[in-house]
Amino acid sequence: MTYGPSAGQLVRPPAHHHDEPYVPVFTGERREKLDVILSRYPTRMAALLPALWMVQDRHGWVSEHAVEEVAQVLDLSPAYVKGVLSFYTMYHQHPVGKHFIQVCTTTPCNVCGAEDVVKAFLDATGCGELGLTSDDGRFTVIEVECLGACGFATPVMINDEFIESVTPELAARIVAERD
Amino acid sequence: MSETTGPKMVTLTIEGRTAVVPEGTSLIEAAKTVGVLIPHYCYHPGLPVAGVCRMCLVDVEKFPKLAPACATTVMEGQVVHVHSEKAREARTGVLEFLLINHPLDCPVCDQSGECELQDYTFQEGRAESRYEEPKRFNPVEDFGGDVLYVPNRCILCTRCVRFMGDVAHDPVLNVSERGDRAFIGKADGHDLTNVWAGNVVDLCPVGALLSKDFLNKARAWELDRSASICTGCSQGCNITVETRDNTVVRLKPRPNEAVNQYFMCEHGRLDYRWINRRDRLDQPQVRRADGALRVADWEEALDAAADTLRGRRVHVLASANASNEALFLAERLMAASGGRGWFRIARGAEAPLPGVPDLSLRAERAANATGARLLGFEELTGTPAIAPADAVLVLDDTLDGELPAGLVEALVRGATLVHAGTTLPAAIAGRASVVLPLTNHTEEEGTFTNLRGRVQRFLQSRTAPGLARPSWFVLGDLAERLDASAGFALPAEVFGAMASAHAAFSGLAYERLGLRGLPVLDAEARGLTVTDAVSA
Amino acid sequence: MGYPHASHGRETPVLSKYFGDPDARTLAGWRARGGYEALEKALGMDPAEIQGIVKDSGLRGRGGAGFPTGIKWSFMKPDGKTHYLCCNADESEPGTFKDREIMRWTPHGLVEGVALGAHAIYAETAYIYIRGEFTEPIARVTAAVEEAYAAGILGANAMGTGRRLDVHVHRGAGAYICGEETALMNSLEGRRGNPRIKPPFPAVAGLFGKPTTINNVETLTTVPYIIKHGAEWYNGFGREDNPRSRGTKLFSVCGNIARPGNYEVTMGFPFGEFLNELCGGALPGREIKAVIPGGSSVPILTREEAEGALMDYEGMVAAGTMLGSGGVIVFDDRQDMVKQIARLARFYAHESCAQCSQCREGTAWTTRILERIAAGEGHARDFDTLLSIGENMSGKTICVLSDSCATPVASGLKKFRHEFEAKLGPDRSRAVVPVMLTSNRTAAA
């Protein structure tokens, strides 16, 4: 048994992941979008969270290459970008499954049976263990801290999609519907 | 407040003592002025305040909560208790928290003996931990440069992160992750290669950042320490030379607000092995009738040296790392005979530490070029003009192990050579009539003048090899033989003579230099910017 | 209203009146419901006058701390400096989900309140910092902001007044602590969400070092109603014997309760009636055992204590707890309090920013002890250790996350000690073996 507080947050790279050449994010339209974002703040640093979101939208996670690119675009050091990146749990520092499933298990949802929902997702996706990506690369399931929808237990986020009132039965259906 | 009046002063009481400090001073600094050291980890006077370790919490009357002494500024009439029950409990609490995941590996930790976690645990008295859970474990990481990171020992004080970011302006370190998973991190491919990066090891209050160079070399309590000056460049960083069994094993910066604050660069820090070299010149030698250099005693060698120089114009080729005292005595030989003095110096790229004004690894890579210039030496460019009837005294100039072009030709044509030095390069061994073994700067005491004209003392930290003698002593004896002047028994006497003879040094007294040095009087007129003319 | 349930007769819906009404989301729909009238009125008023009205209304910050909004605004003077308004939409206190519904259903109500608030503190620029997980609220508010710009409500000539008003939406990325105001500002500036040492307070040096006011979503959304209907109208809500808590308040109710949802009642509403009537009481065949009334950071109440409490700042303090963010978490008789308190501690351990020693180490240590007790391996001495650690974690750190972890543990141990005692295992000395603590980092290695 692990007493570590972060046991549920472990995210490991999926087995199928191979290093591919890095495609820069901030070119063309995305560069223009970033420039619009930059115009909203008096410092370039303030665009760091938005820039990391753009990277994740494009690549699905934020690699060391992406860290270098963001640092260069915003005049920051790569170490600084990594420090900020790793503070925020929604950014992926490793590749994750195509459907990244986050189940809220904090107390309000926990008392409503959220752990059963987690189990249902783990079973239905074949991930087996929290933080592991299924062999086909489609799913990663993690427990997440309070999603702020406690009255709709159990809320689940799949990538950017927010699903309320998920039950173990619904979990299986949700997984079955995904490609 | 007008420009002529000083800052407004604030009076407060700390542990029953009255402190009077300038407005805006932090409690932690105010306490220092009355001899109270408030325990702390994240605070460092050379870094921006973080206020995160919460070790320096003190009890301030009328404050509802304990206040962090590093981040609280003084207020008129404030009454501060450092050792109240409440403050002590908070500190022992912090210590317990810091120790729960800290390994008990002091027996194998380089920091042991100079560890603030050890010191404060001992001082504040919490011998036992109530922690029964497994400890956090993370592997050791090589941060590049001279630095190893041992995350298990890290207390996340962030001094290293702030140094690299706010002082070195090279933010290669970060705090990664959060909660108790947090650690000091870096980005792939961006190592601690900055020439100032080694300071993070000094700044680390525990054994989390270690010097690879010093790794497992010595226990802190085995070291002897003495105040010295770095000879790596003309900045004149104040340092502590640490020796174990007469061997220099580490150089550390010694605080001096006017020169290097709390820091020194890697070039100076790691360039110490030459001090310990075994092939030192340790006996006087005189060239005999058979043409070979043979060992002699000091009296004979000094007499022979005097004979070699007497009646000739004496030129001096000096090391830019020779002390002011040695250079002064050598200069007297030159002046008396109408000779000239030169020095040679290595150069490198200037590497400033951006967060500290006027602190840089200087292009001139020797400690005392400024002293040499002030004392009438000039940098040797081109061929020295030496006549066959002249004599040359080489004062530990061993640059490249080669003599300058022109000097060799002069020797062939009849000039004579006396070598006073710490080593004997082959190029000189073949030419010198007399060889006088000198101590290096860690084996004698004296002063250097840095590029801003600050005269700073260095003390002896190890014993000399064999029969080697201090440079000022040898040159004093030589002068005694040549001009019948009185010799010197102490470097302070040489300094006194120098101060009366040279306008640049007038008014300075050896004793008054203290361990932080004083600027030469007309430094400004000479175009030497003096950063802190009043500090003593 | 008790969204997602029908409104209860005892509610006083002001902010929640249009929850569940999709038409209210659009600019046209919002205008049809009287939207932006208050902003138009306010833009014609002197900021100092608006500050006075809000002060008189008795509105207090709805984010949890309850600081009087008008007084906070009055710290901002026309000093010619750049000012910023931050809207704290990082709703993340477990048990709280009211701001989410405000943003989902009445995004223009928030935009109006933010624009009004910016004007009231002499600011031209406001940022709405929304937690990253709130994808729908982000989309709704962003759409509302875009509509408002297109209609000339925001921009260089806000509502034709010649004044500049900019409102930008900023997405967080998963960090509870960014709900703390100075952490939020750091996060907005592109830094780690570390709370800052105060002083300097945000009103002196806040976002980008400039004087800044930071208000909660509910607070800002309330202001237009106060401007529209007057301070007296708002001040008229509340119990007669408590002049310090006025107005209406949204309470989020979750956990083991018949009708979880958001309920808007006047300050001082009886908590017993609230739980049993409005929210429908316990689930069928169950009994309520404990209630956390103000988000997970406040002391736990037993059912009896809860039923006797009054729902305003002072009423909750009198009951030995706090009103906090108004997030009500209900536990019924099935729940293992040790496990749930351990789960709360784990939350705080996960969310600690890692700055202060007490919080970084204390939250994790507390979690480990509680999880060990929950697993049946606790000793009686653990209770003293927990309370002592909690004491060392309270009132000593930059922000109150550390205190928030200690609070439910202390109240839980006090009120449900029998549950803890029932879990104690055989007393044996434990061998301490280092284990690889899982983290992203060790996984990568």
Side-chain angles (χ1 to χ4, degrees):
Chain A
M1 151 144 215
T2 304
Y3 298 113
S6 58
Q9 301 305 316
L10 178 67
V11 176
R12 292 180 195 144
H16 73 277
H17 171 70
H18 301 292
D19 276 337
E20 288 154 16
Y22 180 70
V23 182
V25 174
F26 299 104
T27 54
E29 273 179 29
R30 280 187 298 267
R31 176 74 215 203
E32 285 165 27
K33 188 182 164 195
L34 181 69
D35 286 338
V36 171
I37 291 171
L38 279 165
S39 72
R40 297 174 185 162
Y41 308 98
T43 65
R44 292 183 78 75
M45 190 194 276
L48 179 51
L49 266 59
L52 291 173
W53 276 123
M54 288 174 70
V55 168
Q56 187 151 309
D57 284 348
R58 173 72 183 76
H59 289 303
W61 65 295
V62 186
S63 64
E64 289 279 347
H65 289 296
V67 165
E68 294 278 344
E69 189 192 2
V70 170
Q72 197 246 323
V73 167
L74 296 179
D75 297 333
L76 301 168
S77 80
Y80 179 86
V81 172
K82 270 189 92 174
V84 173
L85 168 72
S86 62
F87 185 89
Y88 298 96
T89 49
M90 290 186 77
Y91 297 127
H92 306 316
Q93 296 178 69
H94 302 285
V96 295
K98 182 177 175 191
H99 304 289
F100 186 71
I101 302 172
Q102 306 186 70
V103 185
C104 176
T105 56
T106 311
T107 301
C109 294
N110 203 294
V111 300
C112 297
E115 285 172 2
D116 297 335
V117 178
V118 172
K119 195 171 173 301
F121 272 112
L122 284 176
D123 291 347
T125 56
C127 288
E129 201 181 306
L130 288 170
L132 291 186
T133 298
S134 57
D135 291 339
D136 55 12
R138 285 162 69 214
F139 298 103
T140 307
V141 181
I142 68 158
E143 290 184 2
V144 69
E145 296 295 350
C146 189
L147 284 175
C150 321
F152 305 91
T154 295
V156 172
M157 275 192 91
I158 303 182
N159 299 340
D160 272 357
E161 185 186 349
F162 203 102
I163 309 170
E164 296 173 351
S165 309
V166 178
T167 57
E169 300 72 45
L170 185 55
R173 248 188 5 252
I174 289 169
V175 170
E177 284 166 4
R178 305 279 143 169
D179 56 11
Chain B
M1 177 170 33
S2 77
E3 281 181 17
T4 48
T5 60
K8 196 173 160 237
M9 301 304 279
V10 174
T11 306
L12 69 160
T13 309
I14 301 171
E15 276 300 297
R17 305 178 193 188
T18 303
V20 184
V21 293
E23 197 175 38
T25 306
S26 65
L27 286 180
I28 207 166
E29 287 296 329
K32 280 186 196 168
T33 66
V34 291
V36 176
L37 178 69
I38 300 172
H40 59 273
Y41 290 113
C42 69
Y43 175 78
H44 189 280
L47 302 173
V49 168
V52 296
C53 75
R54 316 306 284 178
M55 186 64 186
C56 69
L57 290 174
V58 292
D59 209 343
V60 182
E61 284 186 12
K62 294 183 186 138
F63 277 24
K65 294 201 285 187
L66 296 173
C70 64
T72 308
T73 48
V74 293
M75 289 202 303
E76 187 63 39
Q78 221 165 24
V79 182
V80 181
H81 302 284
V82 180
H83 299 299
S84 74
E85 193 59 27
K86 212 167 127 194
R88 277 186 55 88
E89 268 173 23
R91 282 202 294 274
T92 49
V94 170
L95 281 169
E96 188 180 33
F97 286 130
L98 292 179
L99 285 168
I100 63 171
N101 280 308
H102 193 92
L104 290 176
D105 63 351
C106 305
V108 296
C109 176
D110 268 353
Q111 192 81 4
S112 190
E114 51 188 13
C115 172
E116 291 170 39
L117 205 48
Q118 280 182 333
D119 293 349
Y120 291 139
T121 302
F122 186 74
Q123 175 184 320
E124 302 292 325
R126 164 159 253 154
E128 286 167 25
S129 171
R130 295 172 290 178
Y131 190 70
E132 299 180 23
E133 324 304 322
K135 288 188 185 239
R136 177 179 58 214
F137 179 82
N138 278 311
V140 173
E141 196 174 338
D142 185 346
F143 271 2
D146 183 41
V147 184
L148 279 186
Y149 178 51
V150 187
N152 295 343
R153 298 180 187 146
C154 181
I155 60 168
L156 270 301
C157 72
T158 72
R159 280 187 191 179
C160 53
V161 179
R162 282 174 284 146
F163 175 81
M164 292 312 297
D166 296 301
V167 182
H169 294 193
D170 183 13
V172 293
L173 294 182
N174 65 29
V175 177
S176 284
E177 305 290 331
R178 62 184 198 215
D180 80 329
R181 288 90 59 213
F183 57 91
I184 301 300
K186 59 184 265 306
D188 284 2
H190 299 271
D191 281 356
L192 273 182
T193 49
N194 187 296
V195 74
W196 295 94
N199 290 293
V200 299
V201 176
D202 303 331
L203 289 167
C204 183
V206 298
L209 292 173
L210 301 176
S211 160
K212 293 181 204 166
D213 184 77
F214 185 66
L215 196 67
N216 301 337
K217 254 194 202 170
R219 311 310 326 240
W221 55 86
E222 298 172 327
L223 301 176
D224 296 309
R225 299 173 168 86
S226 44
S228 190
I229 301 297
C230 178
T231 55
C233 78
S234 54
Q235 175 74 32
C237 288
N238 291 210
I239 60 166
T240 302
V241 174
E242 301 188 342
T243 58
R244 179 189 176 192
D245 295 340
N246 209 35
T247 301
V248 177
V249 290
R250 182 168 69 173
L251 304 182
K252 283 240 177 199
R254 184 164 54 85
N256 188 336
E257 273 293 314
V259 182
N260 56 311
Q261 283 201 0
Y262 310 91
F263 311 118
M264 75 183 293
C265 74
E266 295 296 89
H267 173 77
R269 185 192 299 268
L270 298 177
D271 184 23
Y272 64 84
R273 282 181 170 74
W274 62 272
I275 298 171
N276 298 325
R277 61 190 285 182
R278 296 298 187 90
D279 59 340
R280 285 286 297 279
L281 201 46
D282 58 0
Q283 302 187 85
Q285 296 171 46
V286 173
R287 195 169 299 279
R288 303 294 185 189
D290 64 357
L293 280 176
R294 306 251 184 238
V295 170
D297 67 23
W298 266 106
E299 288 305 306
E300 186 191 356
L302 284 165
D303 288 342
D307 290 344
T308 308
L309 302 177
R310 190 175 290 114
R312 289 170 176 255
R313 245 182 352 162
V314 180
H315 305 294
V316 179
L317 181 64
S319 160
N321 275 329
S323 67
N324 288 323
E325 291 72 18
L327 291 167
F328 161 66
L329 293 169
E331 185 262 350
R332 286 217 316 203
L333 296 180
M334 285 148 43
S337 64
R340 293 179 63 191
W342 301 285
F343 63 89
R344 295 186 294 171
I345 193 163
R347 280 197 164 69
E350 182 112 359
L353 181 60
V356 178
D358 205 30
L359 175 55
S360 180
L361 165 58
R362 303 292 175 178
E364 288 192 344
R365 298 291 163 82
N368 205 26
T370 303
R373 290 190 182 98
L374 288 174
L375 289 164
F377 289 78
E378 53 201 332
E379 187 173 355
L380 180 62
T381 49
T383 310
I386 302 168
D390 294 350
V392 176
L393 169 67
V394 173
L395 178 56
D396 204 30
D397 177 321
T398 53
L399 200 75
D400 307 332
E402 297 292 334
L403 289 169
L407 176 54
V408 178
E409 286 72 27
L411 293 174
V412 170
R413 295 200 322 268
T416 55
L417 177 66
V418 171
H419 174 71
T422 54
T423 56
L424 184 62
I428 295 176
R431 304 281 174 190
S433 302
V434 182
V435 172
L436 305 173
L438 300 185
T439 54
N440 67 31
H441 78 292
T442 65
E443 296 151 0
E444 62 182 43
E445 67 170 274
T447 61
F448 293 136
T449 309
N450 83 348
L451 85 163
R452 295 292 181 240
R454 191 175 190 87
V455 183
Q456 307 188 102
R457 282 180 64 181
F458 54 87
L459 305 184
Q460 185 182 352
S461 35
R462 61 196 296 264
T463 54
L467 300 178
R469 287 181 176 177
S471 53
W472 61 269
F473 190 75
V474 172
L475 292 171
D477 278 358
L478 195 55
E480 209 177 335
R481 281 167 172 76
L482 285 168
D483 60 13
S485 63
F488 298 97
L490 292 168
E493 292 173 11
V494 185
F495 191 88
M498 177 175 75
S500 8
H502 279 271
F505 296 91
S506 70
L508 292 178
Y510 197 68
E511 296 74 21
R512 279 194 41 237
L513 296 176
L515 286 177
R516 282 161 207 249
L518 284 173
V520 294
L521 290 188
D522 56 351
E524 241 164 324
R526 290 170 182 275
L528 307 167
T529 321
V530 176
T531 52
D532 182 9
V534 288
S535 139
Chain C
M1 63 180 285
Y3 181 80
H5 310 285
S7 187
H8 190 278
R10 294 275 283 134
E11 281 190 75
T12 310
V14 175
L15 299 173
S16 58
K17 195 171 170 191
Y18 303 112
F19 284 7
D21 173 2
D23 285 346
R25 284 171 170 165
T26 61
L27 177 58
W30 189 244
R31 281 204 147 128
R33 287 161 182 78
Y36 289 110
E37 287 168 14
L39 177 61
E40 192 162 15
K41 183 178 171 189
L43 288 176
M45 291 162 67
D46 186 69
E49 190 188 343
I50 301 173
Q51 294 176 359
I53 293 171
V54 174
K55 218 184 277 184
D56 294 342
S57 76
L59 175 65
R60 290 167 67 174
R62 300 297 193 223
F67 193 84
T69 307
I71 293 179
K72 190 187 255 190
W73 285 7
S74 68
F75 298 148
M76 305 294 271
K77 309 282 185 205
D79 51 12
K81 292 180 189 159
T82 301
H83 290 185
Y84 290 110
L85 177 73
C86 281
C87 171
N88 187 343
D90 192 61
E91 179 166 67
S92 42
E93 179 79 6
T96 318
F97 49 99
K98 62 190 175 64
D99 298 342
R100 174 175 186 263
E101 300 311 321
I102 292 176
M103 290 186 280
R104 284 175 72 205
W105 297 108
T106 61
H108 278 287
L110 175 63
V111 173
E112 182 176 3
V114 170
L116 203 166
H119 171 59
I121 61 151
Y122 308 93
E124 280 183 357
T125 310
Y127 298 98
I128 304 176
Y129 183 102
I130 308 179
R131 64 176 298 185
E133 294 87 345
F134 277 0
T135 44
E136 189 194 338
I138 290 168
R140 301 277 178 218
V141 176
T142 303
V145 167
E146 280 166 9
E147 272 191 303
Y149 267 106
I153 294 167
L154 300 174
N157 182 16
M159 297 196 103
T161 56
R163 254 192 223 103
R164 178 159 203 106
L165 270 183
D166 283 315
V167 176
H168 305 299
V169 175
H170 192 96
R171 184 183 184 187
Y176 163 77
I177 193 55
C178 290
E180 197 277 343
E181 58 181 15
T182 55
L184 186 149
M185 289 188 270
N186 270 342
S187 180
L188 222 160
E189 288 179 14
R191 303 172 195 277
R192 291 169 63 87
N194 292 340
R196 300 175 182 172
I197 292 182
K198 293 187 259 190
F201 290 93
V204 176
L207 189 63
F208 303 114
K210 301 287 192 283
T212 302
T213 298
I214 178 157
N215 290 119
N216 170 261
V217 167
E218 186 183 353
T219 313
L220 286 170
T221 311
T222 303
V223 174
Y225 294 98
I226 294 174
I227 296 304
K228 198 165 171 181
H229 302 295
E232 264 182 49
W233 164 80
Y234 194 74
N235 204 281
F237 298 117
R239 57 181 163 124
E240 275 176 18
D241 56 348
N242 185 7
R244 298 183 58 203
S245 289
R246 311 307 299 168
T248 64
K249 166 96 188 85
L250 273 169
F251 288 89
S252 309
V253 186
C254 63
N256 307 132
I257 187 89
R259 286 197 295 270
N262 278 292
Y263 296 83
E264 190 171 7
V265 292
T266 57
M267 281 290 185
F269 199 87
F271 201 20
E273 186 186 347
F274 179 85
L275 289 170
N276 295 319
E277 301 296 321
L278 277 66
C279 307
L283 292 164
R286 293 288 155 201
E287 264 186 55
I288 293 175
K289 175 158 78 177
V291 179
I292 300 182
S296 61
S297 308
V298 308
I300 305 173
L301 298 179
T302 61
R303 181 181 133 200
E304 295 72 27
E305 289 171 327
E307 287 180 341
L310 294 174
M311 301 170 79
D312 59 21
Y313 298 101
E314 291 68 27
M316 285 299 180
V317 169
T321 184
M322 285 181 287
L323 185 74
S325 58
V328 179
I329 311 170
V330 182
F331 302 81
D332 70 16
D333 52 356
R334 289 171 303 174
Q335 298 309 327
D336 171 352
M337 293 309 285
V338 181
K339 179 188 170 192
Q340 292 309 333
I341 290 167
R343 189 63 192 77
L344 268 187
R346 172 176 279 257
F347 169 81
Y348 290 107
H350 183 257
E351 300 299 332
S352 168
C353 83
Q355 281 195 111
C356 301
S357 309
Q358 293 95 331
C359 180
R360 181 182 67 243
E361 304 294 344
T363 52
W365 187 5
T366 301
T367 305
R368 289 176 189 154
I369 295 177
L370 284 168
E371 293 188 350
R372 178 162 53 77
I373 298 174
E377 293 178 47
H379 327 295
R381 65 173 179 274
D382 290 331
F383 302 160
D384 289 339
T385 306
L386 279 172
L387 292 173
S388 165
I389 298 171
E391 192 60 38
N392 287 337
M393 286 163 66
S394 298
K396 296 178 180 68
T397 45
I398 294 176
C399 79
V400 295
L401 189 143
S402 183
D403 309 55
S404 299
C405 179
T407 302
V409 175
S411 61
L413 257 176
K414 189 171 150 202
K415 293 172 186 177
F416 300 95
R417 197 174 184 100
H418 53 281
E419 293 197 27
F420 284 81
E421 280 168 352
K423 293 218 163 234
L424 294 185
D427 195 358
R428 55 195 160 83
S429 58
R430 293 169 52 80
V432 176
V433 183
V435 296
M436 193 78 102
L437 183 81
T438 51
S439 76
N440 287 345
R441 180 161 184 255
T442 47

